[in-house]
Amino acid sequence: MCERRALINAFFVPQGENVSTPKQSYSSENSLGALAYIALIPAVFFLLVPRYKKSAYVRFHAWQAIGIAVATVVITYALTLTTPLGLFVYMGFTLLAWIGLAFTCWLCGMMALRGKIVRLPIIGAWAESAVKSTFGTCSQTNIASSHPLRHLSQ
């Protein structure tokens, strides 16, 4: 059991974070981070409303959710190149892409609800750089010290 937890923590937790004690309750920032993965509209909403864009944690999840949506559209468009192979091949690959999107959003949303971050290989790095570039050095933000992105506020 400990080996499994160490493996999960190695994949889902940023370097330098301690997750030996799980969070006992869900905070509103965790809920907002998870809600960003439901659809594109909440993610954009969280980036535009000043009350929510104060939190680097919420903004990270919003940017990553937008990145997932854009990647899915790009992949779906790229799959139109498989149309000459047959309509069923195209539909099958497109269905797989959308199932992958749904699973990825579900996984990221569940981990956000628990206060953890799943950094996707390319999209996660892009989302973190977007948070850092929009976050700047403002120290007036209200970021809970227990969130994995608290180092962005410093």
Side-chain angles (χ1 to χ4, degrees):
M1 184 70 176
C2 290
E3 293 172 2
R4 181 175 167 216
R5 182 175 205 108
L7 180 64
I8 290 172
N9 288 343
F11 182 71
F12 292 118
V13 179
Q15 293 177 347
E17 292 295 320
N18 183 9
V19 291
S20 58
T21 57
K23 296 183 89 169
Q24 297 298 325
S25 64
Y26 299 118
S27 73
S28 64
E29 284 188 348
N30 293 354
S31 301
L32 294 173
L35 189 61
Y37 293 102
I38 298 295
L40 192 59
I41 294 172
V44 172
F45 179 77
F46 295 148
L47 292 175
L48 295 177
V49 176
R51 176 181 176 191
Y52 301 120
K53 68 181 184 180
K54 288 180 181 179
S55 168
Y57 184 78
V58 173
R59 278 185 295 131
F60 173 81
H61 288 291
W63 280 116
Q64 184 161 276
I66 290 171
I68 292 170
V70 168
T72 303
V73 169
V74 168
I75 289 170
T76 303
Y77 181 73
L79 286 174
T80 59
L81 299 175
T82 64
T83 314
L85 297 176
L87 185 60
F88 290 114
V89 173
Y90 167 71
M91 290 173 47
F93 284 142
T94 303
L95 180 64
L96 285 175
W98 284 94
I99 289 172
L101 163 79
F103 177 74
T104 303
C105 286
W106 175 80
L107 177 69
C108 292
M110 288 297 107
M111 295 307 284
L113 193 58
R114 293 181 180 170
K116 297 194 168 90
I117 289 180
V118 176
R119 273 196 191 91
L120 301 176
I122 296 170
I123 299 169
W126 171 78
E128 189 170 8
S129 68
V131 170
K132 285 181 182 178
S133 67
T134 59
F135 198 59
T137 58
C138 180
S139 62
Q140 298 175 352
T141 57
N142 183 15
I143 298 174
S145 62
S146 63
H147 283 299
L149 286 178
R150 68 178 180 272
H151 64 280
L152 296 177
S153 65
Q154 299 168 349

